[in-house]
Amino acid sequence: MDYQNILNTIHSDMNYRDVGGKVASYIPELAKIDPRKFGMHLYCGENRHYGFGDSEEKFSIQSISKVFTLCMAMNIMGEDLWDRVDVEPSGNPFNSLTQLEQENGIPRNPFINAGALVISDILVDHLKNPKEELLAFVRKITGDSDINYDNTVASSEKSTGFRNIALVNYMKALGNIKCEVEPIVDFYFHQCSLAMSCRQLAKAFMIFANKGRILETGEEIMRPEVVKRINALMQTCGFYDEAGEFSFEVGLPGKSGVGGGIVAIHPERYSVAVWSPILNEKGNSELGMKALERLTTLTGVSVF
Ligand SMILES: NC(=O)CC[C@H](N)C(=O)O
């Protein structure tokens, strides 16, 4: 497959003028990002890297980080994790509070904010220094030590993160949060502030296309049965109330973030990341979704 040729076609056929959404502004620091940014990187192992545009520039990965923390929490808790968080698509916005009341504080899935905050609670509860351990985990699976938190983005989100703070308080009232609220949201805002490029994200997510092993070293990070669960959740819940649309258009498991990044994997073939900060009304990168639709259409291959 001539991936570089396909990526070049996507790059020349599409740009930010094709979409009408807006850069996220509820986190003030994200509102400063240039809406014209557009990059994509595809990695198939054996040093086969293909990319274009701003694929080496770091951006705020936001909710994409929820896949990393889920992975760590599953390695700690095993199947007991599912007593604290469910595995169903929410059909609701990522920061919604309403379902929690009807469902006794058990979030629908680990990728909506409520679910990711329960995962943060678990990591804060079990790890000595969760921020350092998350950073070490991400650097290890990426094979790159040049990955850090963006403290300016983390404090910017903290200054306006009332909904997330409300979610933790509410779940604590309903008995699904063990630790204090402050360290949980501090950890959550930091995980969301992780700054990575498309190239780094494609490398990191290769473990989900490679049955849980780091491709280059063969080291097992997760058991294959854990990868099965995480990929299933990316397929059904990775795009909030647009997970159906992403499956329909793209046909790959993936995860988005309000920084405008999307990562998707094709098991045993490739891992791909795209970045364009303009979001649609569901909070997913508009151009990113279109670019990935082009990728699976032009290659003629998806998981379906
Ligand atoms: N969808 C997202 O990327 C949301 C993450 C963001 N940090 C928030 O909690 O609102």
Side-chain angles (χ1 to χ4, degrees):
M1 190 80 71
D2 189 350
Y3 286 118
Q4 190 59 56
N5 194 25
I6 290 171
L7 260 61
N8 291 346
T9 306
I10 296 171
H11 194 201
S12 60
D13 285 358
M14 306 182 138
N15 69 57
Y16 75 100
R17 288 191 202 86
D18 301 332
V19 292
K22 287 201 176 72
V23 171
S25 57
Y26 75 100
I27 300 173
E29 208 52 32
L30 294 185
K32 299 179 183 165
I33 308 297
D34 182 349
R36 294 169 300 183
K37 295 285 178 193
F38 185 30
M40 191 163 179
H41 189 95
L42 187 145
Y43 176 49
C44 346
E46 288 163 9
N47 226 11
R48 285 177 297 154
H49 287 274
Y50 309 95
F52 68 69
D54 303 306
S55 63
E56 310 247 351
E57 187 171 326
K58 291 183 189 170
F59 59 92
S60 191
I61 71 166
Q62 293 296 320
S63 283
I64 296 171
S65 65
K66 293 171 181 172
V67 186
F68 300 140
T69 52
L70 173 62
C71 199
M72 291 173 73
M74 284 185 75
N75 282 346
I76 294 170
M77 298 273 287
E79 295 294 305
D80 291 346
L81 183 70
W82 310 117
D83 297 338
R84 306 271 309 270
V85 55
D86 207 346
V87 296
E88 295 297 337
S90 69
N92 264 319
F94 62 83
N95 54 8
S96 171
L97 283 134
T98 50
Q99 254 163 5
L100 275 179
E101 174 149 39
Q102 289 134 24
E103 297 177 2
N104 300 319
I106 306 292
R108 272 286 172 111
N109 67 68
F111 294 152
I112 51 172
N113 287 11
L117 288 159
V118 168
I119 302 294
S120 302
D121 179 47
I122 290 167
L123 296 184
V124 169
D125 190 25
H126 285 83
L127 303 176
K128 220 166 161 198
N129 195 331
K131 280 192 244 175
E132 265 172 33
E133 292 188 44
L134 171 61
L135 205 51
F137 176 82
V138 177
R139 287 173 174 172
K140 180 181 193 171
I141 61 171
T142 313
D144 191 339
S145 57
D146 183 25
I147 298 173
N148 286 295
Y149 298 113
D150 182 332
N151 291 316
T152 315
V153 171
S155 8
S156 177
E157 180 161 10
K158 202 169 203 174
S159 68
T160 55
F162 308 113
R163 264 186 176 269
N164 288 321
I165 296 163
L167 282 166
V168 183
N169 274 297
Y170 194 43
M171 290 189 290
K172 196 163 174 70
L174 294 170
N176 197 17
I177 291 287
K178 286 194 182 159
C179 302
E180 292 307 311
V181 175
E182 211 301 308
I184 298 169
V185 292
D186 180 63
F187 176 68
Y188 175 77
F189 294 141
H190 276 85
Q191 73 170 72
C192 290
S193 84
L194 274 171
M196 292 173 75
S197 66
C198 288
R199 186 187 176 100
Q200 289 174 325
L201 281 170
K203 276 205 82 184
F205 270 69
M206 196 51 156
I207 54 169
F208 303 104
N210 190 43
K211 297 193 174 128
R213 288 181 187 273
I214 298 179
L215 194 68
E216 295 75 17
T217 63
E219 185 183 343
E220 186 177 83
I221 300 294
M222 288 165 290
R223 300 282 310 140
E225 57 267 27
V226 174
V227 181
K228 176 180 82 174
R229 298 212 183 301
I230 295 184
N231 288 353
L233 285 165
M234 284 201 269
Q235 189 76 53
T236 53
C237 312
F239 297 82
Y240 317 110
D241 41 347
E242 207 170 27
E245 179 76 11
F246 189 83
S247 269
F248 186 73
E249 296 289 348
V250 180
L252 297 175
K255 185 74 201 81
S256 65
V258 291
I262 300 180
V263 194
I265 54 134
H266 194 307
E268 282 159 72
R269 278 178 199 257
Y270 62 73
S271 160
V272 61
V274 58
W275 175 44
S276 160
I278 302 173
L279 307 180
N280 62 21
E281 73 285 358
K282 310 278 188 185
N284 296 315
S285 171
E286 223 177 322
L287 198 55
M289 281 183 71
K290 284 184 194 288
L292 290 168
E293 180 279 324
R294 285 285 83 205
L295 175 70
T296 50
T297 302
L298 292 171
T299 55
V301 193
S302 77
V303 299
F304 300 112

